[in-house]
Amino acid sequence: MLKMLSNLKYKLLLKQFKNRVYNYSIYMLKNRMDADDVTQEVLIKLWKNLDSFNMNAASSYVMKMTHNLCIDYLRRRNISLKRELEIDNIFEETYTNVNDLNNPELMISRENLNQRLKEAIENLPVNLKSIFVMYQLQGMKYKEISKALDLPLNSVKVYLMRARIKLQKELKLLKDEIPIPN
Amino acid sequence: MKSQFQINENLLDRIISVAYGDSNFLDKIRINLLASRNNEVKRLLSEYIVTARAIRSLEQDECPVDILENVKNKTLKENNLFSPVIKFLYALLYKPVLTAAAVLILISGMLLFILFNKTNDNQYSEAQIKLAEKQVKQTLVLVNKIFYRTANKVEYDILKEQVAKPVHEGISTINDLFKGG
């Protein structure tokens, strides 16, 4: 019975976190293959630590694990934070809307905007990016982020604000090139 | 004066928070008022709003199936995570239609059980039935008396003294006033 419950618990965790872990890893590592590895590693680690797992703090725990692994990967593989970004195609399919297929102009501008946004987010410094992705894209709360990254609550807020300002500056550079669709 | 207006760090933070939708209500009003009066604030606010909106529209990418398959192979199969019981429990938790169906079946089963198992085991003697009838009659008489007294009280005491009399006095006063006018 206990085994059955822990199996169920794991399946629920998988359902809840698989996409979050994967997306976070993509943004942090800027590389799909590395993100695949990190995601797999996190999910296996989750299984191994299931008995000592606190479901109430699941979000912080899983994201902390993911973040630490991403940092390890960044160090291990010596990925320079300033290197030119490889633009992978994984996001392009996600943002394709059937209704927009008849409007190539809109499609191009949307794709460009998404691409631009993605690049701008990926270009943020690691400490700002991790908070920005957790808060803006994964819907985590300040407290959860603070726990996940071992940072004081105020620092989380300050870094988030800095990330937003920096992102805005990055996007502004390209503002006049492509119109932003409403 | 407006050209001398400077946006400090604190104000910028508030503008950004409003644009991203995580500010408090008062800040929202303040910043919107300020934006209506100051073009620089308005420009900043609208720029950040556009970005915030675009960020919200970014969707999460699906975790690839092959990763899940790998994880399943390494952890789940040996522990039989995908056994029928687990699958059923999981489906109950995550599929509302199935949950609703299960609840419906459970409630129907309970109702049927209650309806078909309802047996009348109570056997009363003739004397007990007569006593019960007598008690019911007495109760009804008591209730009738109470209703009768209440009706009388309402009709004579309350309506006549508390309602009709003041109304009558009021009308008389108005009449006197008209006559006087």
Side-chain angles (χ1 to χ4, degrees):
Chain A
M1 188 65 188
L2 274 174
K3 195 175 153 187
M4 199 191 283
L5 279 176
S6 59
N7 285 347
L8 184 66
K9 187 172 156 185
Y10 184 60
K11 214 174 171 197
L12 293 174
L13 285 170
L14 268 189
K15 163 97 180 171
Q16 201 179 340
F17 291 108
K18 61 180 185 193
N19 290 341
R20 281 171 69 170
V21 170
Y22 182 62
N23 281 275
Y24 185 81
S25 309
I26 289 175
Y27 278 111
M28 291 301 282
L29 301 169
K30 309 173 194 172
N31 177 307
R32 191 180 182 176
M33 278 174 71
D34 287 346
D36 283 2
D37 291 346
V38 166
T39 307
Q40 193 168 310
E41 216 168 306
V42 169
L43 296 181
I44 292 169
K45 268 192 175 181
L46 253 183
W47 170 254
K48 285 178 181 165
N49 298 319
L50 199 63
D51 294 334
S52 57
F53 194 83
N54 177 12
M55 286 297 272
N56 294 327
S59 187
S60 307
Y61 182 82
V62 175
M63 292 320 292
K64 185 177 196 162
M65 202 190 279
T66 312
H67 178 75
N68 289 341
L69 266 175
C70 285
I71 297 295
D72 281 353
Y73 263 70
L74 284 171
R75 279 183 195 143
R76 221 186 299 163
R77 297 188 183 185
N78 199 20
I79 296 173
S80 167
L81 297 176
K82 288 175 184 172
R83 79 175 185 190
E84 279 291 310
L85 287 173
E86 292 169 12
I87 303 169
D88 42 42
N89 297 324
I90 51 165
F91 278 74
E92 287 181 3
E93 291 164 12
T94 316
Y95 305 123
T96 308
N97 186 338
V98 182
N99 296 329
D100 296 338
L101 289 174
N102 297 327
N103 188 345
E105 212 174 290
L106 187 62
M107 265 190 70
I108 291 165
S109 77
R110 275 207 182 136
E111 274 173 24
N112 279 326
L113 174 70
N114 286 329
Q115 193 58 51
R116 217 162 70 193
L117 254 178
K118 188 193 156 220
E119 279 177 39
I121 294 168
E122 284 180 348
N123 270 335
L124 290 171
V126 175
N127 59 341
L128 303 185
K129 179 164 58 178
S130 55
I131 291 170
F132 185 84
V133 173
M134 283 183 188
Y135 186 84
Q136 293 295 158
L137 304 177
Q138 313 221 319
M140 285 174 75
K141 291 169 187 164
Y142 291 130
K143 262 189 183 175
E144 290 175 327
I145 299 170
S146 158
K147 269 186 191 172
L149 301 177
D150 284 329
L151 278 172
L153 207 67
N154 266 342
S155 302
V156 173
K157 289 179 186 174
V158 170
Y159 283 172
L160 177 69
M161 210 50 87
R162 280 186 199 163
R164 285 169 172 177
I165 293 168
K166 196 157 176 55
L167 187 73
Q168 194 69 22
K169 279 178 187 164
E170 290 253 353
L171 289 169
K172 209 175 174 183
L173 294 173
L174 295 156
K175 188 190 169 191
D176 297 327
E177 285 179 27
I178 309 145
I180 296 169
N182 290 319
Chain B
M1 286 298 281
K2 272 184 187 175
S3 59
Q4 289 174 348
F5 185 84
Q6 291 241 324
I7 293 172
N8 59 24
E9 201 181 323
N10 183 31
L11 179 59
L12 181 64
D13 285 358
R14 281 166 194 244
I15 292 171
I16 296 169
S17 290
V18 170
Y20 275 83
D22 47 22
S23 65
N24 60 43
F25 184 67
L26 269 179
D27 272 355
K28 266 181 202 170
I29 293 172
R30 275 186 208 137
I31 298 297
N32 277 306
L33 275 174
L34 199 58
S36 66
R37 277 182 272 156
N38 186 287
N39 286 334
E40 180 61 10
V41 175
K42 191 178 180 180
R43 186 188 61 78
L44 273 173
L45 183 65
S46 53
E47 274 179 16
Y48 275 98
I49 284 174
V50 170
T51 309
R53 209 178 284 165
I55 287 164
R56 271 196 292 272
S57 73
L58 282 178
E59 285 170 21
Q60 282 211 334
D61 209 33
E62 280 289 319
C63 179
V65 182
D66 55 319
I67 294 180
L68 294 176
E69 282 300 318
N70 281 345
V71 172
K72 212 191 285 182
N73 287 335
K74 285 182 183 166
T75 59
L76 315 180
K77 271 187 180 167
E78 60 191 72
N79 290 284
N80 202 18
L81 184 74
F82 290 85
S83 71
V85 182
I86 293 293
K87 272 185 181 170
F88 177 71
L89 287 174
Y90 178 77
L92 268 187
L93 279 169
Y94 266 94
K95 290 180 180 162
V97 178
L98 197 71
T99 314
V103 169
L104 200 71
I105 290 169
L106 194 71
I107 291 171
S108 310
M110 281 164 72
L111 280 175
L112 285 174
F113 179 80
I114 291 165
L115 284 173
F116 287 105
N117 281 287
K118 199 178 177 187
T119 51
N120 195 2
D121 294 331
N122 299 326
Q123 300 278 332
Y124 298 105
S125 67
E126 195 75 14
Q128 279 175 318
I129 292 166
K130 276 185 182 171
L131 182 69
E133 275 178 0
K134 196 180 166 186
Q135 283 170 342
V136 169
K137 274 178 191 168
Q138 283 173 346
T139 313
L140 285 174
V141 167
L142 273 173
V143 171
N144 189 32
K145 269 184 187 171
I146 290 164
F147 276 133
Y148 182 72
R149 280 184 194 166
T150 311
N152 276 346
K153 181 94 179 161
V154 170
E155 196 176 339
Y156 295 107
D157 292 354
I158 297 172
L159 281 177
K160 215 171 186 178
E161 293 297 319
Q162 308 287 332
V163 181
K165 205 174 172 183
V167 169
H168 183 70
E169 281 172 7
I171 290 169
S172 302
T173 313
I174 291 166
N175 268 339
D176 292 343
L177 281 171
F178 275 122
K179 278 174 192 169

